[in-house]
Amino acid sequence: MDEDKGMFNVQQTIGTVLCCRCGIKMQPNAANMCVRCLRSEVDITEGLQKHVVISHCPECDCYLQPPKTWLKAQWESKELLTFCVKRLKNLNKVRLIHAEFVWTEPHSKRIKVRVTIQKEVLNGAVLEQAYVVEYVQQDHMCESCSRVAANPDQWVASVQLRQHVSHRRTFFYLEQLILKHDAAVKAIKIKQMDQGIDFFFGNRSHAVKFLEFLGSVVPTKSRDDKQLVSHDVKSSNYNYKYTFSVQISPVCREDLICLPQRLSSSLGNIGPLVVCTKVTNSIALLDPFTLRHCHLDSDQYWRHGFKSLLTSRQLVEYIVLDIEIPSPPMEAKIGGVRYLLADAQVARVSDFGRNDNIFFVRTHLGHLLNPGDHALGYDLYAANSNDSELEKYKNLVLPEVVLIKKSYEEARLRKRGKPRKYKLKHLEMEVDDRARVDEEKERSDYEQFQRDIEENPELRFNLSLYRNKEYQEESDAGSMADDAAAPLEELLADLVLLDESDEEEDEGMRE
Amino acid sequence: MATRLQFENNCEVGVFSKLTNAYCLVAIGGSESFYSIYEYELADVIPVVKTSIAGTRIIGRACAGNKNGLLVPHTTTDQELQHLRNSLPDSVVVQRIDERLNALGNHIACNDHVALAHTDLDRKTEELIADVLGVEVFRTTIAGNILVGTYCALSNRGGMVHPHTSIEELDELSTLLQVPLVAGTVNRGSDLIAAGMTVNDWTAFCGSDTTATELSVIENVFKLRKAQPSAIVDEMRKSLIDSYV
């Protein structure tokens, strides 16, 4: 600036003076003492804490910040450093420049932090000094750990999930959904019961959150109750145990349902026999003969509370002898799936070749079936149904067969025993000893569930599939009906979406 | 020889006393110890006068003088002036000057030949200084400070200035003053040189906080080791800058 005005500035070289104490040459500073003399004279760490006691919970690796907060921090992490510096009193009188850990043996229960501070001394000279603070780590269990240790089964809220059907397919599907959305991370314990699962939580709000998640994926009806455990008279604190009882609708996919008269007429006279195509938080029903569909909300369903006429256990295998598509083809696209009405000639596999029982039926699977295919359907001809709703219909003519889906049994025979391309994760569940669990039945149910997800891409949408390392490509795999199995592309696509750190998955991705 | 002392537990002896080659002024303290030390050193040679200026004890900073004369501020009372005139030798001219900046000791640093003055002093004051003290007056600053009287202690043999003075400035001042100069501190690192010590050609008095290092620097630059109180000889000296190994 001065140069601009044309002023001539003499260059100033600072001379050296002698330090007033030790006499060494130094640059003049505000105190006119060399740094060593200044440091020996003035100790800016005077009055600061050098020794602090902190409480540490060995169970959950948390540190106590009084009065009540427990901070989770790893050994020698940034959070621990921040916590240690915060615990130093009087540090606001000096300026903190730097803090770092000094290595100590982890089992010594000592943490050492080197703190560098700056403070003004004498006449304006700012002195910087580093000193070491020692923290003694005392072990003290935090309240939550001590509560858990005292009574490991202590829960505050429980969600009892039940579905009164004879199979567990819904629970397998739910298990995968829960894993994908991490809905049960906060559960203390999960117990498998007869016809259901119990979830135990430490907090009522966790249970409520889980309940809401369930309500969004399956049609449910719930009620809640509470039980008084203890109460403090003086402070009027009441401790309760909350129980949420959740019932899932017994209607499942591929079930055949006979709608009650009132419901049928309110839905626009949809044929009393309907097939359930999809169950999410609402039930999708399809009339297989007219291709009319409707959705039933959770509330709507529970107002009527009807049960299925026939469930998928009662599916019988048929051979399709002939398919005829009527000339104006009646097709519909419902929920992303194409259906085509067709007339079919079918015979039961058990009858095939033995006698001449042939049935002429109308089916909605015209787009899938070709002569010679196998299909699964309900045998109403031979069924003896004990349904009050059905009896209420006076002039109902029951069809003999209702075809539900195509069967891939032959293709599956080839693959039997070989590992699948994908894997599924499992929830950790305790199995109640008192529940009568049939191992064989459960295994076949699970197999059926896996087949279901292989065949239905829409079902797979919500789940996470992991690549199976043990699977090897077979040479004749290409000859298999490709739409029957979950294609590799879809598996990989699933893998990319996930950010779970599954070791095998990572290796799979690297491959 | 340099002596360390205190005025009523305060180390700023240059505030409470004024030492020249012809006389010495000291402030009136509660105890006689301050006066007695000066008397012990100087009584045989020069008169030691107890006085006050403008009723205050900060006489070192209020007045400026050398062997030829003494300048006192306009706030000095008549009695004080008379007392000074009586006590001091006849060769010393005591003059009261009318200057707005009346802490003359802070604005003027002088020895028997040359004086440094505050840049804002009146022209008349400057002339008076030249007349009364018989010196050549230079208006200057020291290390950016305008109070030259505080930051410079001067005798006929050497001088000490503010520790932050740059080498170029030391060169320049030394040329002006024709004496060797050193940048140093007194009273344990204090940069108020003239307030912390007072000096003449053969002796110096410093505050008791002065460290041995500072004392040795003072003794070296003012050449006090072998000095005897003898008649001061007018000499032209070459300008030197001492550097201490």
Side-chain angles (χ1 to χ4, degrees), chain A residues 10-25 28-33 41 123, chain B residues 162-169 183-185 188-191 211-214 216-217 243-245:
Chain A
V10 187
Q11 160 156 35
Q12 309 277 9
T13 1
I14 308 289
T16 52
V17 289
L18 301 183
C19 164
C20 66
R21 276 183 92 193
C22 59
I24 65 168
K25 275 192 168 182
N29 58 32
N32 291 316
M33 277 200 260
E41 173 131 335
N123 23 341
Chain B
H162 189 285
H164 288 197
T165 315
S166 66
I167 297 182
E168 289 83 12
E169 229 189 312
T185 65
R188 199 173 266 273
S190 164
D191 37 8
T211 61
T213 318
E214 291 167 335
S216 73
V217 171
S243 62
Y244 292 89
V245 179

Side-chain angles (χ1 to χ4, degrees), chain B residues 42-56:
Chain B
L42 305 167
D44 313 337
V45 194
I46 53 174
V48 181
V49 183
K50 272 206 269 190
T51 181
S52 68
I53 292 188
T56 66

